[in-house]
Amino acid sequence: MSNRANHNSGAVEAAVSAAGSRAYAGDAPATTRRHVRHIYVHIPFCARICPYCAFYKDLLDRSQTSRFCEAILRELEPHESHRRTGDRRSLLRPSTIYFGGGTPTALNIAQLELLLRGFHERLELSQLVEWTIEANPGSVSVRKAALLKKFGVNRISLGVQSWDDELLKLLGREHNPPQAEESFRILRDAGFTNVNVDLMFGLPGQTIDQWRATLEKTIALQPQHISTYCLTYEEDTEFFLRHARGEFRQDADMDAEFFEITMAILENAGYEHYEISNYARPSFESVHNRAYWLGKDYLGIGPSAVSTIGMQRWQNVCDYRVYIDRALAGQSPRESSENLTDQIKRTERIALSLRTREGVSAGDLKDFGTETDELVALGLLRQSKGNFILTPKGKALTDSITEVLL
């Protein structure tokens, strides 16, 4: 279900240029020098390829999934903690783990158990506070939910996208609204008390009334977290081609209206708007995603994954077959790397922090005095506790404001 309109990496990718994936993975040497508390695992398999999705994904191939799971655990081994290595100096003791894709729940019961058990065997998880797995409604079952709960997964991100059947068909989703609601009920019955629902707006033909109904339906289910994303037309997708042919068009004014209605409805329902695309009940913000937005180090595992650790960033090969072969042969899956600079770090910090309720440090914007004064005068920014924070009016123009400041 990985897509631009997906909660986690969209904001990270908007700020970094190491293309192509929503998380980033790595080699052992860099991780042994710094504490790394956040791990992302990319599982690219999908039962169906959605026409708007630009993240690395591939159709589910049952003949390869077991080898893929073995490769994931093999890549993890050089980073594993002292539980297996006996090295109490290990710096990889995660506080968050995030399985994204693709569709992690497209794996069968045995494969999911292999991965989850493998992480428990290889990592010291006593400091783990959040373990998230993305799930598509079409791939949630009672047995899978029970397995995830058994192995310590405590947060599910459910890719509903819409409660309108026709819009789901347009998006190429494999589920219908009743299946999505049943999946939510299954997760609740399994004991999951932290569930995110992903939604999309700005879809071709979508009306304000449809969007309002989707928000109200979601609120009625009482998830702890709701992510709302505006459709973007990404290269190398079917939707991009249809947009280029004039079949679809982006309406900035309508998108702004969708966004403003979203803020009003969700905040009125008690959800805190803590990042441009994310709303949560108090204390249910995504710990993993906040680590991205705060510029924390993170290790990615899996094909196309990217890691950022210290002043280094690297990306794994964007082909799961090549990835499997390399990992199982004991070779590095790394495809490219980049040495970061202080300027790159500051640019990313501004782009990501601006999207959050805490805003950007005034120190990071010291070279943009004229620009920030103008934005404050226009009512788009305000100052609070030494930071510049977007106003409600400014939130609707986040991308434009970011361009001004970068």
Side-chain angles (χ1 to χ4, degrees):
M1 88 181 165
S2 178
N3 54 70
R4 191 62 166 185
N6 204 325
H7 67 272
N8 279 338
S9 62
V12 179
E13 292 181 335
V16 299
S17 59
S21 154
R22 49 191 259 185
Y24 296 60
D27 280 346
T31 68
T32 58
R33 302 188 192 105
R34 295 171 61 95
H35 290 277
V36 180
R37 302 301 190 200
H38 311 284
I39 300 175
Y40 173 85
V41 181
H42 191 70
I43 300 172
F45 302 114
C46 296
R48 180 186 299 176
I49 301 299
C50 296
Y52 56 87
C53 178
F55 292 120
Y56 173 64
K57 71 282 179 188
D58 212 325
L59 286 172
L60 183 66
D61 182 349
R62 292 293 182 190
S63 69
Q64 295 293 320
T65 47
S66 292
R67 294 184 70 239
F68 172 82
C69 293
E70 293 171 5
I72 290 288
L73 296 177
R74 185 69 63 85
E75 186 190 359
L76 185 66
E77 285 177 356
H79 312 284
E80 67 188 24
S81 64
H82 66 78
R83 174 172 291 194
R84 286 262 304 228
T85 64
D87 180 7
R88 294 190 175 271
R89 297 169 298 171
S90 173
L91 300 182
L92 185 58
R93 298 185 188 179
S95 58
T96 71
I97 299 174
Y98 193 103
F99 281 21
T103 309
T105 50
L107 298 176
N108 65 31
I109 294 286
Q111 291 155 0
L112 283 170
E113 181 169 0
L114 175 67
L115 278 182
L116 298 171
R117 189 181 300 278
F119 270 66
H120 277 275
E121 291 173 348
R122 289 163 174 78
L123 298 177
E124 171 55 61
L125 299 181
S126 62
Q127 298 179 30
L128 189 69
V129 297
E130 181 183 276
W131 192 341
T132 301
I133 287 188
E134 292 183 352
N136 272 351
S139 61
V140 173
S141 69
V142 172
R143 290 182 63 205
K144 283 184 183 178
L147 179 77
L148 298 178
K149 186 69 176 174
K150 172 185 174 182
F151 279 94
V153 174
N154 58 12
R155 184 175 186 269
I156 303 292
S157 184
L158 190 64
V160 174
Q161 314 307 358
S162 176
W163 294 103
D164 184 275
D165 197 39
E166 291 305 312
L167 290 177
L168 287 174
K169 291 176 182 176
L170 174 71
L171 291 171
R173 306 298 287 176
E174 62 174 341
H175 68 272
N176 57 38
Q179 287 175 318
E181 185 167 1
E182 175 62 17
S183 295
F184 188 90
R185 300 296 183 196
I186 287 172
L187 295 171
R188 282 291 196 237
D189 290 344
F192 286 99
T193 57
N194 190 358
V195 178
N196 170 62
V197 171
D198 268 355
L199 302 173
M200 295 176 67
F201 62 86
L203 307 179
Q206 187 180 32
T207 67
I208 293 296
D209 286 343
Q210 285 175 318
W211 180 237
R212 188 186 302 275
T214 282
L215 291 173
E216 291 173 350
K217 169 68 174 178
T218 304
I219 291 168
L221 291 175
Q222 300 183 23
Q224 284 66 43
H225 193 285
I226 301 173
S227 297
T228 64
Y229 300 94
C230 184
L231 173 68
T232 57
Y233 294 94
E234 304 284 354
E235 290 189 40
D236 300 322
T237 68
E238 180 186 329
F239 269 24
F240 180 84
L241 295 176
R242 296 182 70 176
H243 181 266
R245 293 196 297 261
E247 296 178 41
F248 298 153
R249 70 183 186 89
Q250 196 100 38
D251 187 330
D253 291 337
M254 181 67 79
D255 290 345
E257 187 174 355
F258 279 122
F259 181 78
E260 289 166 2
I261 288 173
T262 304
M263 284 195 293
I265 291 177
L266 293 183
E267 289 180 345
N268 186 59
Y271 289 90
E272 297 179 358
H273 192 193
Y274 74 103
E275 195 270 348
I276 287 297
S277 300
N278 291 277
Y279 301 78
R281 297 291 190 193
S283 78
F284 282 98
E285 297 91 347
S286 169
V287 181
H288 186 85
N289 287 342
R290 283 183 64 81
Y292 287 149
W293 303 329
L294 292 172
K296 303 294 185 181
D297 289 348
Y298 56 94
L299 173 70
I301 300 291
S304 84
V306 179
S307 295
T308 298
I309 298 179
M311 302 301 284
Q312 291 184 298
R313 175 171 294 145
W314 61 92
Q315 182 175 21
N316 279 359
V317 60
C318 297
D319 182 322
Y320 79 84
R321 296 172 182 83
V322 175
Y323 169 82
I324 290 172
D325 289 342
R326 288 188 186 180
L328 294 183
Q331 300 172 358
S332 170
R334 186 185 300 190
E335 183 174 50
S336 61
S337 61
E338 175 186 11
N339 291 321
L340 304 178
T341 65
D342 289 337
Q343 180 58 41
I344 291 174
K345 284 278 195 176
R346 188 177 77 159
T347 296
E348 295 178 359
R349 195 162 57 244
I350 292 171
L352 294 173
S353 298
L354 188 64
R355 297 173 59 91
T356 69
R357 66 184 169 200
E358 292 81 11
V360 185
S361 165
D364 280 333
L365 295 178
K366 62 183 179 181
D367 295 333
F368 299 93
T370 300
E371 290 86 350
T372 53
D373 287 346
E374 291 178 353
L375 291 168
V376 169
L378 290 169
L380 302 177
L381 284 182
R382 64 181 179 87
Q383 279 194 280
S384 176
K385 299 178 180 178
N387 287 359
F388 284 97
I389 301 171
L390 290 170
T391 65
K393 181 180 176 182
K395 289 178 181 179
L397 299 170
T398 302
D399 291 343
S400 298
I401 295 171
T402 301
E403 289 178 9
V404 170
L405 298 176
L406 298 182

